[in-house]
């Protein structure tokens, strides 16, 4: 028997009217003295009958439900009168009322009866039409996370964007530029919290602590990563745009998410490689709790199989053109070849060369494989195993660029691998990080890490 999901439009018998608000059901009224024929009117969810409206249905229930109620029912058949088709369904084990009652509720007195097989075909074709119609509203050839066009107030109920995506145009330009570099084109934003500048204050009087954080911040959850962005520099009287600092955590690497604090909130994020903390003002507790609960949905459940995204990132060809601007194109090609040999037998998925320049007399090359990050400097290779990576940090500023990988250490302090690059080469750095984030997610999804994984990673650091 085919199972379909229906939404009740009209509850025809006596009962209570219920609405669901913030996950809680609330009774808002009652219905009395109605003739109950054993069926409510409904429609097939995510369906299109050919003219842009849902396929109507009637469902047999032991008691009348309420408008908006979702029902998983078994498809018994359908009534067809010309071009109009009404599906007929019932709860498992629930008998259909007599045919005359079914036709009365369905508002079809003539017509013919379609069996369950034909009704299933009608339902499948209607769902296919719905998917085709919805596909026409999706973004192609652009960024899926960037809403555009009409006023969001007019578009929010007819386009597949989240509230966070509609609010992107309100963000300071420096945050928008950062997201353009760090998000995949098909990535989706689920939730975002903005931290106003100079918002972390202490004491009952609200006076700022000494060395209190003055930078504006943005905590953002996508369907692939958790991103924390703050201004690269504290605000000054000239309000110059010095770019942002960002920290990234792949959702597949999450092992714990919790919220602590009162006047100053701290969102604690735990991965296999350690923990990170993001600070928010206490007045944003409601928003922080929502983001915490959303992020917690990506945590693995012990004893249960999880549906995991596998990225299998494709290799990105190394482009020596940026290094050629520093007259180091051939040297960059040689260093990348040396890095590939050092990280063999794994293939290097993406490589990034940071040239010699004033204040930085040594060149450096970084590369990502399916399981490691390698940084080669003066012939010395430093390796970070993605299985024990804690987070990734990057500075996107017109002053200078900086990338940092953090992993556990035998001491209490975490070990970091850091390199800087000219700000004009930010595009290459963010390309490397996008590939790295996907490889990290695949590595984190591969299964439990052996107890000696962190020690093994440290032993492989040159």
């Amino acid at each position: 028997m085919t199972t379909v999901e229906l939404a009740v439009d009209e509850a025809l018998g006596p009962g209570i009217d219920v609405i669901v608000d913030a996950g809680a059901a609330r009774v808002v009224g009652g219905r009395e003295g109605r003739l109950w024929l054993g069926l409510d009117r409904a429609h097939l969810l995510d369906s299109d009958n050919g003219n842009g409206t849902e396929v109507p249905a009637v469902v047999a229930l032991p008691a009348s439900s309420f408008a908006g109620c979702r029902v998983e029912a078994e498809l018994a058949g359908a009534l067809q009168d010309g071009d109009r088709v009404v599906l007929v369904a019932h709860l498992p084990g629930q008998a259909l009322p007599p045919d005359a009652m079914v036709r009365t509720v369905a508002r079809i007195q003539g017509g013919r009866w379609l069996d369950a097989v034909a009704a299933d075909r009608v339902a499948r074709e209607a769902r296919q039409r719905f998917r085709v119609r919805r596909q026409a509203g999706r973004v192609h050839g652009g960024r899926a996370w960037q809403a555009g066009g009409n006023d969001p107030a007019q578009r929010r109920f007819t386009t597949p964007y989240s509230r966070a995506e509609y609010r992107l145009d309100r963000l300071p330009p420096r945050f928008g530029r950062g997201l353009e570099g760090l998000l995949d084109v098909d990535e989706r934003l689920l939730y975002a919290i903005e931290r106003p500048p100079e918002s972390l204050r202490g004491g009952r009087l609200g006076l700022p602590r000494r060395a209190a954080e003055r930078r504006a911040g943005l905590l953002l959850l996508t369907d692939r990563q958790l991103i924390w962005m703050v201004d690269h520099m504290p605000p000054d009287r000239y309000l110059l745009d010095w770019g942002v600092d960002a920290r990234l955590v792949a959702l597949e690497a999450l092992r714990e998410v919790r919220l602590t604090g009162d006047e100053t909130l701290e969102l604690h994020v735990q991965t296999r490689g350690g923990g990170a903390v993001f600070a928010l003002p206490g007045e944003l507790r409601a928003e922080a709790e929502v983001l915490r609960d959303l992020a917690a949905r990506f945590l693995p459940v012990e004893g249960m199989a999880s549906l995991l995204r596998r990225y299998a990132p494709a290799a990105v060809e190394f482009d020596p053109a940026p290094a050629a601007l520093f007259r180091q194109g051939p040297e960059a090609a040689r260093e990348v070849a040396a890095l590939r040999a050092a990280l063999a037998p794994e293939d290097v998925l993406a490589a990034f060369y940071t040239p010699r320049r004033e204040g930085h007399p040594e060149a450096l090359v970084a590369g990502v494989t399916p399981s490691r990050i390698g940084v080669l400097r003066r012939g010395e290779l430093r390796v970070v195993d993605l299985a024990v990576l804690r987070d990734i940090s990057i500075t996107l500023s017109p002053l200078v660029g900086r990338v940092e990988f953090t992993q556990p250490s035998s001491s209490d302090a975490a070990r970091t691998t850091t390199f800087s690059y000219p700000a004009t080469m930010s595009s290459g750095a963010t390309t490397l990080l996008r590939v790295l984030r996907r490889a990290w997610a695949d590595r984190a999804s591969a299964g439990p890490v052996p107890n000696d994984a962190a020690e093994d990673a440290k032993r492989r650091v040159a």
Side-chain angles (χ1 to χ4, degrees):
M1 187 72 70
T2 300
T3 299
V4 293
E5 188 171 5
L6 307 176
V8 174
D9 298 318
E10 296 180 72
L12 302 177
I16 56 176
D17 293 322
V18 179
I19 63 171
V20 179
D21 183 18
R26 187 167 73 249
V27 176
V28 294
R31 307 182 305 274
E32 298 180 358
R34 298 188 179 187
L35 177 63
W36 170 238
L37 298 181
L39 303 109
D40 284 343
R41 295 192 183 103
H43 68 266
L44 178 66
L45 283 174
D46 296 341
S47 64
D48 187 336
N49 65 6
N51 59 11
T53 61
E54 299 90 351
V55 175
V58 294
V59 55
L61 301 168
S64 187
S65 58
F66 56 89
C69 178
R70 298 289 182 89
V71 181
E72 288 190 1
E74 293 181 351
L75 201 56
L79 291 170
Q80 182 178 23
D81 186 7
D83 294 334
R84 184 168 182 264
V85 177
V86 178
L87 301 178
V88 179
H90 57 84
L91 289 183
Q94 175 80 17
L96 281 178
D99 180 72
M101 294 184 178
V102 174
R103 290 179 178 273
T104 297
V105 176
R107 299 190 179 110
I108 293 181
Q109 295 303 319
R112 64 191 184 99
W113 173 260
L114 304 180
D115 61 18
V117 175
D120 177 53
R121 183 167 58 252
V122 170
R124 285 189 286 108
E125 291 174 352
R127 286 191 291 262
Q128 175 65 20
R129 283 192 295 268
F130 174 83
R131 289 191 294 269
V132 170
R133 178 164 57 87
R134 183 175 59 182
Q135 178 72 16
R138 291 185 177 177
V139 176
H140 296 276
R143 303 183 183 100
W145 47 269
Q146 191 170 47
N150 299 333
D151 180 4
Q154 300 174 4
R155 293 168 52 86
R156 61 181 302 183
F157 299 111
T158 59
T159 56
Y161 292 107
S162 68
R163 182 181 179 186
E165 290 168 333
Y166 280 124
R167 291 171 60 89
L168 280 178
D169 59 348
R170 303 182 185 180
L171 293 179
R174 57 191 180 277
F175 287 140
R177 291 196 304 271
L179 292 179
E180 287 180 7
L182 299 176
L183 298 182
D184 294 335
V185 294
D186 56 344
E187 196 164 349
R188 302 308 303 268
L189 290 101
L190 305 180
Y191 201 76
I193 302 175
E194 296 179 56
R195 185 182 74 185
E198 303 186 68
S199 60
L200 297 185
R201 300 179 178 269
R204 295 295 180 183
L205 298 179
L207 299 177
R209 294 190 182 98
R210 179 176 297 178
E213 178 62 81
R214 301 174 60 214
R215 297 179 296 171
L218 176 69
L219 184 59
L220 190 134
L221 178 69
T222 79
D223 62 343
R224 303 181 182 188
Q225 59 186 323
L226 185 68
I227 304 177
W228 173 240
M229 304 177 72
V230 296
D231 284 336
H232 180 58
M233 286 188 172
D236 58 26
R237 59 181 178 176
Y238 298 109
L239 299 177
L240 297 179
D241 182 352
W242 293 118
V244 295
D245 298 334
R247 296 176 70 181
L248 321 177
V249 178
L251 294 183
E252 290 80 359
L254 290 178
R255 292 300 174 266
E256 182 184 8
V257 181
R258 57 189 175 89
L259 190 65
T260 63
D262 184 12
E263 295 179 357
T264 298
L265 303 175
E266 292 184 342
L267 184 72
H268 298 259
V269 174
Q270 193 75 21
T271 68
R272 288 174 174 171
V277 180
F278 309 122
L280 295 167
E283 59 267 23
L284 296 180
R285 174 173 293 277
E287 292 91 335
E289 290 176 347
V290 171
L291 190 141
R292 176 202 60 193
D293 294 342
L294 288 174
R297 296 184 181 185
F298 293 92
L299 297 176
V301 180
E302 185 176 357
M304 295 181 62
S306 300
L307 294 176
L308 299 174
R309 191 197 316 266
R310 298 293 293 175
Y311 296 92
V316 177
E317 185 177 354
F318 175 69
D319 181 10
L325 297 177
F326 292 84
R327 299 182 180 179
Q328 298 174 45
E331 180 179 346
R334 289 194 300 271
E335 289 296 312
V336 170
L339 180 67
R340 294 183 188 277
L343 292 176
E346 285 190 302
D347 293 331
V348 173
L349 301 174
F352 177 72
Y353 178 83
T354 176
R356 300 185 314 278
R357 58 201 185 278
E358 184 178 355
H360 297 271
E362 300 171 355
L364 174 147
V365 62
V368 179
T369 77
S371 67
R372 294 178 291 168
I373 314 161
V375 177
L376 184 65
R377 189 199 317 254
R378 291 181 303 178
E380 179 182 350
L381 179 66
R382 172 168 289 185
V383 176
V384 179
D385 192 326
L386 297 182
V388 293
L389 182 64
R390 188 188 77 182
D391 59 39
I392 307 168
S393 298
I394 184 171
T395 293
L396 298 169
S397 167
L399 298 175
V400 66
R402 185 173 180 271
V403 173
E404 180 179 291
F405 313 120
T406 307
Q407 65 182 116
S409 174
S410 55
S411 64
D412 292 337
R415 186 185 184 102
T416 60
T417 301
T418 305
F419 64 86
S420 62
Y421 57 89
T424 55
M425 302 179 72
S426 290
S427 177
T430 53
T431 297
L432 177 85
L433 259 60
R434 288 195 301 272
V435 174
L436 168 59
R437 197 261 307 153
R438 299 182 200 122
W440 181 20
D442 282 352
R443 180 74 165 164
S445 302
V449 178
N451 293 333
D452 61 347
E455 295 300 323
D456 179 64
K458 291 196 289 289
R459 285 195 295 270
R460 284 190 282 160
V461 174

